[in-house]
Amino acid sequence: MYAVVALGGSVLNVENPDRVRKAADLISEALESGLKICAVVGGGPVAREYINVARELGAPETALDELGIAVTRLNAALLNLALGRPEADVPETPAEAAETVRREGVAVCGGTHPGHTTDAVGAMIAELLEAPLIIVTNVDGVYDRDPSEPGAQKLRELDADELERLAFEADLEAGGSFVVDPVAAKIIRRGRVTTHVLSWDDFKSVGIEGALKGRHGGTIIRG
Ligand code: UTP
């Protein structure tokens, strides 16, 4: 069985070496149990720093995305090192990542193309592999509105149409941000990708198999 794990840059980055080690341990544990895993790593604060500086320089948004992608790929290389795979290539497309997982049983990748985040890359790979997706992020699940707003409620389960609606609505608001980007939400819906959204703390204690069984306090989107 295949599983795709998207580790957001806010949870896995060079500023948290212990988490890189722990993520590698959790992936190794799941591999030993027979799962085939694709991990997709985000860019984190380093990506944001590069993007902010380049934006001040007046660079076009696509060029900023390319900077972000470069940082995600650097983080992917770091996770490969923690997994004891120093010679492993970081796949450049979702198809290449899926093919690597089918062949080798494991792959670690970062971003691929401008215009979306690594969550969308994770959703694309999950769609290709017909696999479930685990999104590990800095929020403990999907909320019905911005979690900082009073009265915001965490949703235990929601359907993919609702996820897509919430993601697109948040994207339309200035400065609006949502736990899953709209492209990822669209792929999750059309690919019928069962998706678990949970925090790092939750992920750390339940691991990949526990997350796939829904033994977490986050949100489940049934594919
Ligand atoms: P992340 O996936 O880390 O995005 O990619 P994020 O959602 O901003 O970060 P977290 O998870 O909340 O910390 C960093 C940036 O790299 C570019 C985008 O600009 C993104 O914001 N990127 C990434 C792409 O353009 N395409 C990709 O496939 C991946």
Side-chain angles (χ1 to χ4, degrees):
M1 186 187 156
Y2 296 105
V4 179
V5 185
L7 294 152
S10 49
V11 300
L12 195 86
N13 55 66
V14 276
E15 291 177 6
N16 287 298
D18 289 349
R19 289 189 182 183
V20 179
R21 206 167 291 124
K22 181 69 185 173
D25 289 347
L26 293 173
I27 292 169
S28 301
E29 214 171 82
L31 292 172
E32 275 162 31
S33 78
L35 276 173
K36 295 183 176 189
I37 307 283
C38 183
V40 187
V41 185
V46 176
R48 254 188 305 279
E49 256 181 74
Y50 271 90
I51 287 170
N52 289 341
V53 172
R55 188 174 278 129
E56 275 174 33
L57 293 169
E61 292 293 313
T62 295
L64 308 185
D65 282 342
E66 293 287 5
L67 280 178
I69 291 168
V71 177
T72 63
R73 293 175 55 79
L74 208 52
N75 285 343
L78 192 67
L79 182 56
N80 265 329
L81 294 179
L83 284 164
R85 309 172 74 234
E87 62 295 298
D89 286 329
V90 176
E92 291 187 8
T93 65
E96 198 184 321
E99 202 272 323
T100 305
V101 183
R102 287 191 200 279
R103 199 182 57 241
E104 297 178 19
V106 61
V108 181
C109 67
T112 55
H113 304 88
H116 50 69
T117 71
T118 46
D119 287 348
V121 176
M124 290 172 200
I125 299 166
E127 186 183 35
L128 286 169
L129 291 170
E130 296 184 45
L133 171 66
I134 301 169
I135 296 180
V136 186
T137 180
N138 57 353
V139 195
D140 62 354
V142 179
Y143 282 72
D144 60 353
R145 69 197 85 161
D146 187 329
S148 62
E149 275 183 34
Q153 300 240 331
K154 187 165 70 177
L155 305 165
R156 174 61 183 159
E157 281 205 25
L158 82 163
D159 64 38
D161 291 323
E162 185 64 1
L163 178 80
E164 194 177 11
R165 190 185 64 73
L166 290 169
F168 274 93
E169 269 177 15
D171 201 49
L172 292 174
E173 291 167 19
S177 72
F178 185 65
V179 59
V180 177
D181 90 68
V183 179
K186 177 187 160 177
I187 310 265
I188 286 168
R189 196 243 324 131
R190 74 168 195 198
R192 300 177 162 277
V193 177
T194 292
T195 304
H196 301 265
V197 180
L198 59 153
S199 69
W200 167 258
D201 281 343
D202 219 353
F203 180 63
K204 194 172 67 174
S205 55
V206 300
I208 293 174
E209 288 193 285
L212 293 174
K213 287 179 181 140
R215 291 190 188 136
H216 56 77
T219 300
I220 304 173
I221 300 117
R222 303 238 179 245

